[in-house]
Every structure is written in structure tokens, then in C-alpha cells.
Amino acid sequence: QVQLVQSGAEVKKPGASVKVSCKVSGYILTELSMHWVRQAPGKGLEWMGGFDPEDGETIYAQKFQGRLTMTEDTSTDTAYMELSSLRSEDTAVYYCATPRGGSGYLAPFDYWGQGTLVTVSS
Amino acid sequence: SYVLTQPPSVSVAPGKTARIACGGDNIGRKSLHWYQQKAGQAPVLVIYFDNDRPSGIPERFSGSNSGNTATLTISRVEAGDEADYYCQVWDNNSDHVFGGGTKLTVL
């Protein structure tokens, strides 16, 4: 059973960057396709980006291109999401999520982290 | 970009059947998934590939997908089913897309 455990809440000032981690247990990170989804207060789910197993590349939603970087540390089975040039509209809960290992790009997000609240405020 | 449209809210009495719609252009040609999100919790997959249930999800949950509308059906609704429900697809141009979510209220 895959478990995703995320880092704790963050408070950042506008213009700063935030880096959220997602530790994988019960599976090997390289056999998963990690994605990041965010949810602003009282709003719906928004896909930010993730690993495309068909192309072997990380794909970012157009909205976040240039500000979003997803990386992985395979030695610790930890995925990271870094968002830069933060603004108040980036205040949200950020989730890591992944399909089951070996699934293609059509697969659902079977496993989710518990979420990390990022607050952007001056 | 591809858009999924859901009603903001659906209300149903306990023991009755709830139906939550998800509309999109030719959505019936796409693989559609449904998630349940209870207050303060992470989403949970309840239906995948239109009408498959993950282990642990009650048989009361079912799905259909045809034409321009997909539907999540919850039979014999219980108080514990009260949550927000989101549909999701992968689109060639938009990548992963979520619907706006539907709040299910059990009266």
C-alpha cells in the first residue's frame, strides 16, 4: 500500500518561493508518476503538473509554466514541488497524488498525500 | 482548454438515490474518474474508468459515461456520503482536468 506523507504548513510573503515535499513509503518513487494538485480555500481541485510516463517527462499546466518546478530525490523516495513568485492567489492546500505503479497517463489518482497548507501573506 | 461542468450542489434524503452529473464535450469518449472529498480531508477515489470501484468502496457507488454527460450514482444514500464530489479526465490538450465539484447534502 502506497503512503504519501507531506511536509508541514508554510507561511510565505508575496514574491517568495515555497518547496513542499512528499515522502513515499510502501513503493519505490521511480515506479510511480507523481502529480501535484492544489485547492484554494473553498474552491475546487486544480491540477498543477506531473510526470508523464508515456514521454518520460514532467508536464506542467500552462498556468504554472515558468513558476513551477517538480523534482525527485530517488535516494529518499521523496518528491518536491517548488512554486516561485508567490502571490496571495497561491494560498491553497497543495496535494501530491499518484496513480498505482505502472499505470499510464489515463489512470486515476489512487493515492493522495494529506495536503500542505501554503499561506501567502504580507 | 477542456472543461468539465458539474452542478454546484445536490441534495438527497437518506435512503434515496443521488445522481451527480459531469458534462463535457464528447466526455463519453474519455476515461472518467470520480473523487469524494470530505471536509478537511484529502480526496478519495470512488469510481475509476467510468464505472470501476476501488476496493473498499461500497457497491452503492456506480458510474456511467456516455455522450456529453457522465453520472455518479449513489444508491441508498447515507449521512456519511455527505461530501464534495469531483469528476476528472485526461485530455490531450489540457492534460488532467477536474470538474468544479458538487457538494452533496444529505437532508
Side-chain angles (χ1 to χ4, degrees), chain A residues 20-93:
Chain A
V20 178
S21 68
C22 174
K23 168 74 173 173
V24 176
S25 62
Y27 223 94
I28 299 172
L29 178 58
T30 53
E31 296 182 355
L32 298 172
S33 300
M34 195 63 69
H35 294 254
W36 291 86
V37 176
R38 77 176 186 179
Q39 185 172 37
K43 302 297 184 182
L45 301 172
E46 181 178 31
W47 179 79
M48 300 178 68
F51 183 77
D52 183 345
E54 303 291 320
D55 296 335
E57 297 180 351
T58 298
I59 297 175
Y60 301 115
Q62 188 171 9
K63 174 179 181 177
F64 299 103
Q65 286 185 4
R67 285 206 302 145
L68 178 61
T69 304
M70 296 179 184
T71 56
E72 297 181 349
D73 182 345
T74 56
S75 68
T76 60
D77 285 323
T78 303
Y80 296 91
M81 182 283 300
E82 184 170 18
L83 188 62
S84 62
S85 302
L86 290 169
R87 32 208 188 234
S88 59
E89 310 89 87
D90 294 318
T91 293
V93 175

Side-chain angles (χ1 to χ4, degrees), chain B residues 9-95:
Chain B
S9 62
V10 168
S11 298
V12 63
K16 301 298 185 182
T17 297
R19 294 179 178 85
I20 298 173
C22 175
D25 185 39
N26 285 317
I27 195 174
R29 297 184 179 183
K30 298 183 180 299
S31 296
L32 186 124
H33 316 301
W34 289 96
Y35 302 87
Q36 175 194 69
Q37 186 181 34
K38 296 183 178 180
Q41 298 182 20
V44 172
L45 179 69
V46 292
I47 292 290
Y48 64 100
F49 291 128
D50 298 342
N51 192 22
D52 286 331
R53 275 177 294 102
S55 61
I57 301 301
E59 292 184 8
R60 301 184 297 103
F61 287 79
S62 64
S64 63
N65 187 13
S66 178
N68 292 318
T69 305
T71 303
L72 173 67
T73 301
I74 309 172
S75 305
R76 302 181 300 282
V77 167
E78 302 173 357
D81 298 330
E82 190 161 283
D84 294 326
Y85 291 84
Y86 295 90
C87 54
Q88 179 248 319
V89 299
W90 182 88
D91 174 76
N92 189 44
N93 295 315
S94 303
D95 293 304

